[in-house]
Amino acid sequence: MTGQVGTDAAVSKGGIEFETLIAEFRRMHAALCASAPDQELTAALRTEFRSLADRLESVRQPVEANRASWRTGMSSRGHPTLVPFDVEHLDQRVFCARLEFSDVHLGGNGAVHGGTIPLLFDDFLGMFVSAKGQPHSRTAFLKVNYRRITPIYTPLLVEATIDRIDGRKTWVSGRLSHGSEVTADAEALFLRLLPGQP
Ligand SMILES: CCCCC/C=C\C/C=C\C/C=C\C/C=C\CCCC(=O)SCCNC(=O)CCNC(=O)[C@H](O)C(C)(C)COP(=O)(O)OP(=O)(O)OC[C@H]1O[C@@H](n2cnc3c(N)ncnc32)[C@H](O)[C@@H]1OP(=O)(O)O
């Protein structure tokens, strides 16, 4: 890692190019998870990955605000390893989105890895709290119930509601569904940060 700081102009924050780059990265990530390359292909890929990492580290940004993977309006803000979702509806009380897990998220026997679902909920509920609850909040707790196996490569719906706001506290809950079946649900408390609080 070079630690070099790029300029704003060096960061692609707009246009379709960054979105298609992230889509290709996610495809590559899923293909890597699902593959078994032989030694020759592994060596060739390692060389290409190293070269790509060198080029990206040369335009490294110090804080999230300047990073291309921090774009509102893009699925998961353009972050390549968060769980991507497509927003269906957002209002003061309800937030819902469509998503599909991939080989990136596979645990075992066709089921999504148990650690991936809290990642989705933390990000999804956190976005909701940021947009319609209290911005600049942080997760104090997140409880997840795994009700059924969550399948990969299957259209799913994730929904959330803001249940209560009291002072700095926002209580929020979420559900992940496959058709009429809830596969996981969550409840969380977010606390608005105090001025100067890290
Ligand atoms: C497409 C539509 C959306 C468009 C959105 C547009 C823009 C959005 C842009 C960006 C959005 C960006 C991000 C959103 C996405 C993801 C969000 C991810 C969020 C995270 O992933 S963030 C990382 C994980 N998170 C932590 O790293 C927290 C570590 N931790 C702490 O930083 C402290 O722990 C803190 C600050 C939580 C509290 O500390 P503190 O000192 O401020 O407060 P204190 O302890 O005094 O508690 C005050 C009162 O809360 C009660 N309380 C506290 N904790 C509790 C608990 N666990 N359970 C029950 N009650 C609790 C106390 O009991 C007391 O209650 P009372 O006042 O009644 O006595």
Side-chain angles (χ1 to χ4, degrees), residues 66-104:
N66 289 331
R67 292 180 177 183
S69 61
W70 194 253
R71 292 182 11 163
T72 52
M74 204 177 143
S75 187
S76 301
R77 303 178 297 289
H79 193 289
T81 59
L82 287 173
V83 180
F85 52 79
D86 296 318
V87 175
E88 284 253 305
H89 178 80
L90 171 68
D91 67 29
Q92 230 29 61
R93 282 200 27 90
V94 179
F95 184 28
C96 63
R98 303 263 166 205
L99 74 147
E100 203 170 290
F101 289 101
S102 75
D103 280 301
V104 168

PDB file of all heavy atoms in Angstrom, residues 66-104:
ATOM      1  N   ASN A  66     -14.152  10.999   0.356  1.00  0.00           N
ATOM      2  CA  ASN A  66     -13.492  11.161  -0.937  1.00  0.00           C
ATOM      3  C   ASN A  66     -13.421   9.868  -1.725  1.00  0.00           C
ATOM      4  O   ASN A  66     -12.834   9.822  -2.796  1.00  0.00           O
ATOM      5  CB  ASN A  66     -12.066  11.692  -0.737  1.00  0.00           C
ATOM      6  CG  ASN A  66     -12.076  13.130  -0.300  1.00  0.00           C
ATOM      7  OD1 ASN A  66     -12.998  13.867  -0.637  1.00  0.00           O
ATOM      8  ND2 ASN A  66     -11.076  13.527   0.460  1.00  0.00           N
ATOM      9  N   ARG A  67     -13.961   8.811  -1.158  1.00  0.00           N
ATOM     10  CA  ARG A  67     -13.806   7.515  -1.806  1.00  0.00           C
ATOM     11  C   ARG A  67     -14.942   7.248  -2.794  1.00  0.00           C
ATOM     12  O   ARG A  67     -16.095   7.572  -2.526  1.00  0.00           O
ATOM     13  CB  ARG A  67     -13.739   6.401  -0.753  1.00  0.00           C
ATOM     14  CG  ARG A  67     -12.452   6.541   0.036  1.00  0.00           C
ATOM     15  CD  ARG A  67     -12.282   5.498   1.096  1.00  0.00           C
ATOM     16  NE  ARG A  67     -10.980   5.704   1.726  1.00  0.00           N
ATOM     17  CZ  ARG A  67     -10.483   4.931   2.661  1.00  0.00           C
ATOM     18  NH1 ARG A  67     -11.166   3.889   3.090  1.00  0.00           N
ATOM     19  NH2 ARG A  67      -9.297   5.189   3.160  1.00  0.00           N
ATOM     20  N   ALA A  68     -14.582   6.615  -3.886  1.00  0.00           N
ATOM     21  CA  ALA A  68     -15.596   6.295  -4.888  1.00  0.00           C
ATOM     22  C   ALA A  68     -16.581   5.272  -4.350  1.00  0.00           C
ATOM     23  O   ALA A  68     -17.710   5.184  -4.821  1.00  0.00           O
ATOM     24  CB  ALA A  68     -14.927   5.770  -6.152  1.00  0.00           C
ATOM     25  N   SER A  69     -16.169   4.470  -3.357  1.00  0.00           N
ATOM     26  CA  SER A  69     -17.068   3.456  -2.792  1.00  0.00           C
ATOM     27  C   SER A  69     -17.933   4.046  -1.681  1.00  0.00           C
ATOM     28  O   SER A  69     -18.300   3.369  -0.737  1.00  0.00           O
ATOM     29  CB  SER A  69     -16.257   2.276  -2.246  1.00  0.00           C
ATOM     30  OG  SER A  69     -15.406   2.722  -1.218  1.00  0.00           O
ATOM     31  N   TRP A  70     -18.239   5.312  -1.769  1.00  0.00           N
ATOM     32  CA  TRP A  70     -19.066   5.997  -0.783  1.00  0.00           C
ATOM     33  C   TRP A  70     -20.027   6.912  -1.541  1.00  0.00           C
ATOM     34  O   TRP A  70     -20.059   8.124  -1.337  1.00  0.00           O
ATOM     35  CB  TRP A  70     -18.171   6.778   0.171  1.00  0.00           C
ATOM     36  CG  TRP A  70     -18.871   7.249   1.417  1.00  0.00           C
ATOM     37  CD1 TRP A  70     -19.251   8.522   1.719  1.00  0.00           C
ATOM     38  CD2 TRP A  70     -19.287   6.449   2.524  1.00  0.00           C
ATOM     39  NE1 TRP A  70     -19.889   8.557   2.938  1.00  0.00           N
ATOM     40  CE2 TRP A  70     -19.918   7.302   3.448  1.00  0.00           C
ATOM     41  CE3 TRP A  70     -19.196   5.079   2.818  1.00  0.00           C
ATOM     42  CZ2 TRP A  70     -20.457   6.836   4.653  1.00  0.00           C
ATOM     43  CZ3 TRP A  70     -19.723   4.635   4.014  1.00  0.00           C
ATOM     44  CH2 TRP A  70     -20.342   5.505   4.915  1.00  0.00           C
ATOM     45  N   ARG A  71     -20.757   6.294  -2.480  1.00  0.00           N
ATOM     46  CA  ARG A  71     -21.637   7.082  -3.331  1.00  0.00           C
ATOM     47  C   ARG A  71     -23.084   6.815  -2.981  1.00  0.00           C
ATOM     48  O   ARG A  71     -23.563   5.704  -3.155  1.00  0.00           O
ATOM     49  CB  ARG A  71     -21.417   6.711  -4.802  1.00  0.00           C
ATOM     50  CG  ARG A  71     -20.086   7.138  -5.310  1.00  0.00           C
ATOM     51  CD  ARG A  71     -19.891   6.823  -6.770  1.00  0.00           C
ATOM     52  NE  ARG A  71     -21.099   6.405  -7.462  1.00  0.00           N
ATOM     53  CZ  ARG A  71     -21.200   6.414  -8.783  1.00  0.00           C
ATOM     54  NH1 ARG A  71     -20.209   6.837  -9.518  1.00  0.00           N
ATOM     55  NH2 ARG A  71     -22.296   5.997  -9.349  1.00  0.00           N
ATOM     56  N   THR A  72     -23.809   7.825  -2.490  1.00  0.00           N
ATOM     57  CA  THR A  72     -25.244   7.628  -2.297  1.00  0.00           C
ATOM     58  C   THR A  72     -25.880   7.546  -3.682  1.00  0.00           C
ATOM     59  O   THR A  72     -25.333   8.039  -4.655  1.00  0.00           O
ATOM     60  CB  THR A  72     -25.866   8.794  -1.506  1.00  0.00           C
ATOM     61  OG1 THR A  72     -25.490  10.005  -2.133  1.00  0.00           O
ATOM     62  CG2 THR A  72     -25.399   8.792  -0.070  1.00  0.00           C
ATOM     63  N   GLY A  73     -27.016   6.876  -3.764  1.00  0.00           N
ATOM     64  CA  GLY A  73     -27.688   6.736  -5.052  1.00  0.00           C
ATOM     65  C   GLY A  73     -27.245   5.513  -5.810  1.00  0.00           C
ATOM     66  O   GLY A  73     -27.792   5.180  -6.845  1.00  0.00           O
ATOM     67  N   MET A  74     -26.239   4.810  -5.285  1.00  0.00           N
ATOM     68  CA  MET A  74     -25.796   3.591  -5.925  1.00  0.00           C
ATOM     69  C   MET A  74     -25.986   2.451  -4.925  1.00  0.00           C
ATOM     70  O   MET A  74     -25.853   2.651  -3.720  1.00  0.00           O
ATOM     71  CB  MET A  74     -24.312   3.725  -6.266  1.00  0.00           C
ATOM     72  CG  MET A  74     -23.857   2.833  -7.391  1.00  0.00           C
ATOM     73  SD  MET A  74     -22.130   3.149  -7.745  1.00  0.00           S
ATOM     74  CE  MET A  74     -21.651   1.474  -8.109  1.00  0.00           C
ATOM     75  N   SER A  75     -26.321   1.264  -5.426  1.00  0.00           N
ATOM     76  CA  SER A  75     -26.569   0.141  -4.542  1.00  0.00           C
ATOM     77  C   SER A  75     -25.399  -0.044  -3.579  1.00  0.00           C
ATOM     78  O   SER A  75     -24.244  -0.134  -4.003  1.00  0.00           O
ATOM     79  CB  SER A  75     -26.769  -1.120  -5.386  1.00  0.00           C
ATOM     80  OG  SER A  75     -27.171  -2.177  -4.572  1.00  0.00           O
ATOM     81  N   SER A  76     -25.701  -0.103  -2.272  1.00  0.00           N
ATOM     82  CA  SER A  76     -24.680  -0.200  -1.220  1.00  0.00           C
ATOM     83  C   SER A  76     -23.615   0.884  -1.347  1.00  0.00           C
ATOM     84  O   SER A  76     -22.454   0.684  -1.006  1.00  0.00           O
ATOM     85  CB  SER A  76     -24.017  -1.574  -1.212  1.00  0.00           C
ATOM     86  OG  SER A  76     -24.971  -2.564  -1.012  1.00  0.00           O
ATOM     87  N   ARG A  77     -24.032   2.039  -1.864  1.00  0.00           N
ATOM     88  CA  ARG A  77     -23.156   3.197  -2.013  1.00  0.00           C
ATOM     89  C   ARG A  77     -21.932   2.882  -2.859  1.00  0.00           C
ATOM     90  O   ARG A  77     -20.907   3.544  -2.752  1.00  0.00           O
ATOM     91  CB  ARG A  77     -22.745   3.759  -0.634  1.00  0.00           C
ATOM     92  CG  ARG A  77     -23.934   4.151   0.239  1.00  0.00           C
ATOM     93  CD  ARG A  77     -23.545   4.655   1.601  1.00  0.00           C
ATOM     94  NE  ARG A  77     -22.857   3.672   2.416  1.00  0.00           N
ATOM     95  CZ  ARG A  77     -23.449   2.601   2.940  1.00  0.00           C
ATOM     96  NH1 ARG A  77     -24.718   2.355   2.724  1.00  0.00           N
ATOM     97  NH2 ARG A  77     -22.752   1.753   3.673  1.00  0.00           N
ATOM     98  N   GLY A  78     -22.012   1.845  -3.679  1.00  0.00           N
ATOM     99  CA  GLY A  78     -20.881   1.509  -4.542  1.00  0.00           C
ATOM    100  C   GLY A  78     -19.805   0.726  -3.833  1.00  0.00           C
ATOM    101  O   GLY A  78     -18.736   0.469  -4.400  1.00  0.00           O
ATOM    102  N   HIS A  79     -20.081   0.318  -2.589  1.00  0.00           N
ATOM    103  CA  HIS A  79     -19.074  -0.478  -1.881  1.00  0.00           C
ATOM    104  C   HIS A  79     -19.049  -1.885  -2.479  1.00  0.00           C
ATOM    105  O   HIS A  79     -20.086  -2.541  -2.584  1.00  0.00           O
ATOM    106  CB  HIS A  79     -19.401  -0.540  -0.387  1.00  0.00           C
ATOM    107  CG  HIS A  79     -18.273  -1.052   0.430  1.00  0.00           C
ATOM    108  ND1 HIS A  79     -17.886  -2.373   0.388  1.00  0.00           N
ATOM    109  CD2 HIS A  79     -17.422  -0.425   1.267  1.00  0.00           C
ATOM    110  CE1 HIS A  79     -16.844  -2.537   1.193  1.00  0.00           C
ATOM    111  NE2 HIS A  79     -16.541  -1.373   1.733  1.00  0.00           N
ATOM    112  N   PRO A  80     -17.871  -2.401  -2.844  1.00  0.00           N
ATOM    113  CA  PRO A  80     -17.854  -3.661  -3.591  1.00  0.00           C
ATOM    114  C   PRO A  80     -18.143  -4.917  -2.781  1.00  0.00           C
ATOM    115  O   PRO A  80     -18.479  -5.939  -3.368  1.00  0.00           O
ATOM    116  CB  PRO A  80     -16.433  -3.713  -4.174  1.00  0.00           C
ATOM    117  CG  PRO A  80     -15.621  -2.807  -3.324  1.00  0.00           C
ATOM    118  CD  PRO A  80     -16.544  -1.767  -2.779  1.00  0.00           C
ATOM    119  N   THR A  81     -18.040  -4.863  -1.451  1.00  0.00           N
ATOM    120  CA  THR A  81     -18.250  -6.104  -0.692  1.00  0.00           C
ATOM    121  C   THR A  81     -19.409  -6.045   0.307  1.00  0.00           C
ATOM    122  O   THR A  81     -19.673  -7.034   0.988  1.00  0.00           O
ATOM    123  CB  THR A  81     -16.963  -6.561   0.041  1.00  0.00           C
ATOM    124  OG1 THR A  81     -16.563  -5.535   0.931  1.00  0.00           O
ATOM    125  CG2 THR A  81     -15.852  -6.874  -0.940  1.00  0.00           C
ATOM    126  N   LEU A  82     -20.097  -4.902   0.419  1.00  0.00           N
ATOM    127  CA  LEU A  82     -21.362  -4.914   1.155  1.00  0.00           C
ATOM    128  C   LEU A  82     -22.387  -5.676   0.318  1.00  0.00           C
ATOM    129  O   LEU A  82     -22.149  -5.967  -0.852  1.00  0.00           O
ATOM    130  CB  LEU A  82     -21.841  -3.479   1.423  1.00  0.00           C
ATOM    131  CG  LEU A  82     -21.046  -2.706   2.483  1.00  0.00           C
ATOM    132  CD1 LEU A  82     -21.519  -1.253   2.529  1.00  0.00           C
ATOM    133  CD2 LEU A  82     -21.208  -3.349   3.858  1.00  0.00           C
ATOM    134  N   VAL A  83     -23.532  -5.989   0.916  1.00  0.00           N
ATOM    135  CA  VAL A  83     -24.561  -6.726   0.168  1.00  0.00           C
ATOM    136  C   VAL A  83     -25.349  -5.721  -0.683  1.00  0.00           C
ATOM    137  O   VAL A  83     -25.982  -4.815  -0.129  1.00  0.00           O
ATOM    138  CB  VAL A  83     -25.520  -7.458   1.131  1.00  0.00           C
ATOM    139  CG1 VAL A  83     -26.580  -8.202   0.334  1.00  0.00           C
ATOM    140  CG2 VAL A  83     -24.743  -8.415   2.041  1.00  0.00           C
ATOM    141  N   PRO A  84     -25.323  -5.844  -2.017  1.00  0.00           N
ATOM    142  CA  PRO A  84     -26.049  -4.864  -2.841  1.00  0.00           C
ATOM    143  C   PRO A  84     -27.556  -5.097  -2.821  1.00  0.00           C
ATOM    144  O   PRO A  84     -28.008  -6.241  -2.803  1.00  0.00           O
ATOM    145  CB  PRO A  84     -25.485  -5.089  -4.256  1.00  0.00           C
ATOM    146  CG  PRO A  84     -24.931  -6.462  -4.259  1.00  0.00           C
ATOM    147  CD  PRO A  84     -24.595  -6.829  -2.832  1.00  0.00           C
ATOM    148  N   PHE A  85     -28.310  -3.994  -2.781  1.00  0.00           N
ATOM    149  CA  PHE A  85     -29.775  -4.097  -2.852  1.00  0.00           C
ATOM    150  C   PHE A  85     -30.306  -2.948  -3.712  1.00  0.00           C
ATOM    151  O   PHE A  85     -29.660  -1.905  -3.839  1.00  0.00           O
ATOM    152  CB  PHE A  85     -30.401  -4.080  -1.447  1.00  0.00           C
ATOM    153  CG  PHE A  85     -29.973  -2.948  -0.559  1.00  0.00           C
ATOM    154  CD1 PHE A  85     -30.520  -1.680  -0.707  1.00  0.00           C
ATOM    155  CD2 PHE A  85     -29.011  -3.139   0.437  1.00  0.00           C
ATOM    156  CE1 PHE A  85     -30.121  -0.628   0.118  1.00  0.00           C
ATOM    157  CE2 PHE A  85     -28.599  -2.096   1.269  1.00  0.00           C
ATOM    158  CZ  PHE A  85     -29.164  -0.842   1.101  1.00  0.00           C
ATOM    159  N   ASP A  86     -31.491  -3.178  -4.299  1.00  0.00           N
ATOM    160  CA  ASP A  86     -32.149  -2.162  -5.128  1.00  0.00           C
ATOM    161  C   ASP A  86     -33.353  -1.629  -4.377  1.00  0.00           C
ATOM    162  O   ASP A  86     -34.305  -2.381  -4.105  1.00  0.00           O
ATOM    163  CB  ASP A  86     -32.595  -2.760  -6.473  1.00  0.00           C
ATOM    164  CG  ASP A  86     -31.394  -3.207  -7.302  1.00  0.00           C
ATOM    165  OD1 ASP A  86     -30.394  -2.468  -7.327  1.00  0.00           O
ATOM    166  OD2 ASP A  86     -31.457  -4.297  -7.891  1.00  0.00           O
ATOM    167  N   VAL A  87     -33.310  -0.334  -4.069  1.00  0.00           N
ATOM    168  CA  VAL A  87     -34.373   0.272  -3.256  1.00  0.00           C
ATOM    169  C   VAL A  87     -35.700   0.262  -4.016  1.00  0.00           C
ATOM    170  O   VAL A  87     -35.773   0.637  -5.180  1.00  0.00           O
ATOM    171  CB  VAL A  87     -33.992   1.721  -2.869  1.00  0.00           C
ATOM    172  CG1 VAL A  87     -35.142   2.401  -2.125  1.00  0.00           C
ATOM    173  CG2 VAL A  87     -32.725   1.726  -2.019  1.00  0.00           C
ATOM    174  N   GLU A  88     -36.752  -0.210  -3.340  1.00  0.00           N
ATOM    175  CA  GLU A  88     -38.107  -0.230  -3.906  1.00  0.00           C
ATOM    176  C   GLU A  88     -38.931   0.927  -3.377  1.00  0.00           C
ATOM    177  O   GLU A  88     -39.706   1.512  -4.096  1.00  0.00           O
ATOM    178  CB  GLU A  88     -38.827  -1.516  -3.470  1.00  0.00           C
ATOM    179  CG  GLU A  88     -38.404  -2.742  -4.193  1.00  0.00           C
ATOM    180  CD  GLU A  88     -39.478  -3.199  -5.170  1.00  0.00           C
ATOM    181  OE1 GLU A  88     -40.612  -3.392  -4.735  1.00  0.00           O
ATOM    182  OE2 GLU A  88     -39.146  -3.358  -6.358  1.00  0.00           O
ATOM    183  N   HIS A  89     -38.761   1.199  -2.067  1.00  0.00           N
ATOM    184  CA  HIS A  89     -39.622   2.195  -1.434  1.00  0.00           C
ATOM    185  C   HIS A  89     -38.917   2.743  -0.189  1.00  0.00           C
ATOM    186  O   HIS A  89     -38.285   1.994   0.546  1.00  0.00           O
ATOM    187  CB  HIS A  89     -40.958   1.536  -1.031  1.00  0.00           C
ATOM    188  CG  HIS A  89     -41.882   2.486  -0.343  1.00  0.00           C
ATOM    189  ND1 HIS A  89     -42.655   3.398  -1.021  1.00  0.00           N
ATOM    190  CD2 HIS A  89     -42.139   2.687   0.981  1.00  0.00           C
ATOM    191  CE1 HIS A  89     -43.345   4.116  -0.160  1.00  0.00           C
ATOM    192  NE2 HIS A  89     -43.051   3.709   1.071  1.00  0.00           N
ATOM    193  N   LEU A  90     -39.063   4.045  -0.016  1.00  0.00           N
ATOM    194  CA  LEU A  90     -38.510   4.679   1.187  1.00  0.00           C
ATOM    195  C   LEU A  90     -39.447   5.785   1.607  1.00  0.00           C
ATOM    196  O   LEU A  90     -39.745   6.685   0.818  1.00  0.00           O
ATOM    197  CB  LEU A  90     -37.115   5.253   0.886  1.00  0.00           C
ATOM    198  CG  LEU A  90     -36.478   6.134   1.967  1.00  0.00           C
ATOM    199  CD1 LEU A  90     -36.131   5.328   3.208  1.00  0.00           C
ATOM    200  CD2 LEU A  90     -35.212   6.819   1.431  1.00  0.00           C
ATOM    201  N   ASP A  91     -39.975   5.698   2.829  1.00  0.00           N
ATOM    202  CA  ASP A  91     -40.695   6.854   3.383  1.00  0.00           C
ATOM    203  C   ASP A  91     -40.311   6.982   4.851  1.00  0.00           C
ATOM    204  O   ASP A  91     -39.360   6.330   5.322  1.00  0.00           O
ATOM    205  CB  ASP A  91     -42.213   6.772   3.136  1.00  0.00           C
ATOM    206  CG  ASP A  91     -42.896   5.625   3.890  1.00  0.00           C
ATOM    207  OD1 ASP A  91     -42.419   5.239   4.970  1.00  0.00           O
ATOM    208  OD2 ASP A  91     -43.918   5.103   3.377  1.00  0.00           O
ATOM    209  N   GLN A  92     -41.040   7.812   5.580  1.00  0.00           N
ATOM    210  CA  GLN A  92     -40.659   8.152   6.955  1.00  0.00           C
ATOM    211  C   GLN A  92     -40.615   6.935   7.873  1.00  0.00           C
ATOM    212  O   GLN A  92     -39.848   6.896   8.825  1.00  0.00           O
ATOM    213  CB  GLN A  92     -41.677   9.167   7.476  1.00  0.00           C
ATOM    214  CG  GLN A  92     -41.155  10.421   8.106  1.00  0.00           C
ATOM    215  CD  GLN A  92     -39.826  10.951   7.639  1.00  0.00           C
ATOM    216  OE1 GLN A  92     -39.654  11.294   6.474  1.00  0.00           O
ATOM    217  NE2 GLN A  92     -38.879  11.008   8.556  1.00  0.00           N
ATOM    218  N   ARG A  93     -41.457   5.911   7.573  1.00  0.00           N
ATOM    219  CA  ARG A  93     -41.548   4.760   8.482  1.00  0.00           C
ATOM    220  C   ARG A  93     -41.074   3.441   7.888  1.00  0.00           C
ATOM    221  O   ARG A  93     -40.698   2.536   8.621  1.00  0.00           O
ATOM    222  CB  ARG A  93     -43.020   4.580   8.954  1.00  0.00           C
ATOM    223  CG  ARG A  93     -43.383   5.574  10.048  1.00  0.00           C
ATOM    224  CD  ARG A  93     -44.589   5.146  10.871  1.00  0.00           C
ATOM    225  NE  ARG A  93     -44.852   3.722  10.968  1.00  0.00           N
ATOM    226  CZ  ARG A  93     -44.358   2.925  11.915  1.00  0.00           C
ATOM    227  NH1 ARG A  93     -43.531   3.401  12.817  1.00  0.00           N
ATOM    228  NH2 ARG A  93     -44.691   1.653  11.944  1.00  0.00           N
ATOM    229  N   VAL A  94     -41.129   3.332   6.547  1.00  0.00           N
ATOM    230  CA  VAL A  94     -40.861   2.039   5.908  1.00  0.00           C
ATOM    231  C   VAL A  94     -39.795   2.176   4.829  1.00  0.00           C
ATOM    232  O   VAL A  94     -39.761   3.161   4.096  1.00  0.00           O
ATOM    233  CB  VAL A  94     -42.170   1.483   5.266  1.00  0.00           C
ATOM    234  CG1 VAL A  94     -41.918   0.150   4.587  1.00  0.00           C
ATOM    235  CG2 VAL A  94     -43.270   1.343   6.305  1.00  0.00           C
ATOM    236  N   PHE A  95     -38.945   1.167   4.766  1.00  0.00           N
ATOM    237  CA  PHE A  95     -37.883   1.111   3.756  1.00  0.00           C
ATOM    238  C   PHE A  95     -37.891  -0.319   3.232  1.00  0.00           C
ATOM    239  O   PHE A  95     -37.906  -1.272   4.035  1.00  0.00           O
ATOM    240  CB  PHE A  95     -36.552   1.440   4.445  1.00  0.00           C
ATOM    241  CG  PHE A  95     -35.340   1.532   3.556  1.00  0.00           C
ATOM    242  CD1 PHE A  95     -35.439   1.905   2.217  1.00  0.00           C
ATOM    243  CD2 PHE A  95     -34.075   1.269   4.070  1.00  0.00           C
ATOM    244  CE1 PHE A  95     -34.307   2.014   1.415  1.00  0.00           C
ATOM    245  CE2 PHE A  95     -32.939   1.366   3.283  1.00  0.00           C
ATOM    246  CZ  PHE A  95     -33.055   1.746   1.960  1.00  0.00           C
ATOM    247  N   CYS A  96     -37.924  -0.513   1.916  1.00  0.00           N
ATOM    248  CA  CYS A  96     -37.806  -1.887   1.409  1.00  0.00           C
ATOM    249  C   CYS A  96     -36.998  -1.917   0.123  1.00  0.00           C
ATOM    250  O   CYS A  96     -36.903  -0.915  -0.614  1.00  0.00           O
ATOM    251  CB  CYS A  96     -39.161  -2.570   1.267  1.00  0.00           C
ATOM    252  SG  CYS A  96     -40.252  -1.832   0.099  1.00  0.00           S
ATOM    253  N   ALA A  97     -36.385  -3.068  -0.101  1.00  0.00           N
ATOM    254  CA  ALA A  97     -35.477  -3.222  -1.237  1.00  0.00           C
ATOM    255  C   ALA A  97     -35.465  -4.673  -1.686  1.00  0.00           C
ATOM    256  O   ALA A  97     -35.785  -5.584  -0.908  1.00  0.00           O
ATOM    257  CB  ALA A  97     -34.068  -2.788  -0.836  1.00  0.00           C
ATOM    258  N   ARG A  98     -35.124  -4.869  -2.944  1.00  0.00           N
ATOM    259  CA  ARG A  98     -34.955  -6.217  -3.514  1.00  0.00           C
ATOM    260  C   ARG A  98     -33.470  -6.553  -3.535  1.00  0.00           C
ATOM    261  O   ARG A  98     -32.638  -5.663  -3.745  1.00  0.00           O
ATOM    262  CB  ARG A  98     -35.483  -6.261  -4.947  1.00  0.00           C
ATOM    263  CG  ARG A  98     -36.920  -5.843  -5.080  1.00  0.00           C
ATOM    264  CD  ARG A  98     -37.844  -7.030  -5.101  1.00  0.00           C
ATOM    265  NE  ARG A  98     -39.226  -6.599  -4.889  1.00  0.00           N
ATOM    266  CZ  ARG A  98     -40.172  -7.369  -4.397  1.00  0.00           C
ATOM    267  NH1 ARG A  98     -39.920  -8.616  -4.049  1.00  0.00           N
ATOM    268  NH2 ARG A  98     -41.402  -6.912  -4.235  1.00  0.00           N
ATOM    269  N   LEU A  99     -33.179  -7.819  -3.381  1.00  0.00           N
ATOM    270  CA  LEU A  99     -31.779  -8.236  -3.459  1.00  0.00           C
ATOM    271  C   LEU A  99     -31.692  -9.715  -3.801  1.00  0.00           C
ATOM    272  O   LEU A  99     -32.683 -10.460  -3.715  1.00  0.00           O
ATOM    273  CB  LEU A  99     -31.045  -7.959  -2.141  1.00  0.00           C
ATOM    274  CG  LEU A  99     -31.370  -8.888  -0.970  1.00  0.00           C
ATOM    275  CD1 LEU A  99     -30.135  -9.074  -0.108  1.00  0.00           C
ATOM    276  CD2 LEU A  99     -32.493  -8.317  -0.142  1.00  0.00           C
ATOM    277  N   GLU A 100     -30.496 -10.114  -4.161  1.00  0.00           N
ATOM    278  CA  GLU A 100     -30.224 -11.529  -4.440  1.00  0.00           C
ATOM    279  C   GLU A 100     -28.800 -11.808  -3.973  1.00  0.00           C
ATOM    280  O   GLU A 100     -27.875 -11.098  -4.362  1.00  0.00           O
ATOM    281  CB  GLU A 100     -30.354 -11.755  -5.960  1.00  0.00           C
ATOM    282  CG  GLU A 100     -30.631 -13.180  -6.320  1.00  0.00           C
ATOM    283  CD  GLU A 100     -31.005 -13.335  -7.803  1.00  0.00           C
ATOM    284  OE1 GLU A 100     -32.107 -12.898  -8.188  1.00  0.00           O
ATOM    285  OE2 GLU A 100     -30.185 -13.873  -8.551  1.00  0.00           O
ATOM    286  N   PHE A 101     -28.642 -12.790  -3.123  1.00  0.00           N
ATOM    287  CA  PHE A 101     -27.297 -13.176  -2.692  1.00  0.00           C
ATOM    288  C   PHE A 101     -26.635 -14.015  -3.793  1.00  0.00           C
ATOM    289  O   PHE A 101     -27.331 -14.622  -4.615  1.00  0.00           O
ATOM    290  CB  PHE A 101     -27.362 -13.981  -1.390  1.00  0.00           C
ATOM    291  CG  PHE A 101     -27.739 -13.152  -0.189  1.00  0.00           C
ATOM    292  CD1 PHE A 101     -29.037 -13.171   0.312  1.00  0.00           C
ATOM    293  CD2 PHE A 101     -26.796 -12.340   0.434  1.00  0.00           C
ATOM    294  CE1 PHE A 101     -29.398 -12.408   1.422  1.00  0.00           C
ATOM    295  CE2 PHE A 101     -27.141 -11.571   1.542  1.00  0.00           C
ATOM    296  CZ  PHE A 101     -28.444 -11.609   2.031  1.00  0.00           C
ATOM    297  N   SER A 102     -25.312 -14.062  -3.772  1.00  0.00           N
ATOM    298  CA  SER A 102     -24.564 -14.774  -4.812  1.00  0.00           C
ATOM    299  C   SER A 102     -23.592 -15.762  -4.161  1.00  0.00           C
ATOM    300  O   SER A 102     -23.591 -15.953  -2.942  1.00  0.00           O
ATOM    301  CB  SER A 102     -23.777 -13.768  -5.660  1.00  0.00           C
ATOM    302  OG  SER A 102     -22.648 -13.314  -4.933  1.00  0.00           O
ATOM    303  N   ASP A 103     -22.743 -16.360  -4.988  1.00  0.00           N
ATOM    304  CA  ASP A 103     -21.712 -17.271  -4.465  1.00  0.00           C
ATOM    305  C   ASP A 103     -20.791 -16.586  -3.452  1.00  0.00           C
ATOM    306  O   ASP A 103     -20.187 -17.258  -2.613  1.00  0.00           O
ATOM    307  CB  ASP A 103     -20.866 -17.819  -5.627  1.00  0.00           C
ATOM    308  CG  ASP A 103     -21.566 -18.954  -6.362  1.00  0.00           C
ATOM    309  OD1 ASP A 103     -21.880 -19.974  -5.718  1.00  0.00           O
ATOM    310  OD2 ASP A 103     -21.815 -18.823  -7.570  1.00  0.00           O
ATOM    311  N   VAL A 104     -20.703 -15.255  -3.522  1.00  0.00           N
ATOM    312  CA  VAL A 104     -19.889 -14.507  -2.549  1.00  0.00           C
ATOM    313  C   VAL A 104     -20.385 -14.761  -1.126  1.00  0.00           C
ATOM    314  O   VAL A 104     -19.610 -14.743  -0.166  1.00  0.00           O
ATOM    315  CB  VAL A 104     -19.963 -12.991  -2.871  1.00  0.00           C
ATOM    316  CG1 VAL A 104     -19.389 -12.149  -1.738  1.00  0.00           C
ATOM    317  CG2 VAL A 104     -19.258 -12.683  -4.184  1.00  0.00           C
TER     318      VAL A 104
END
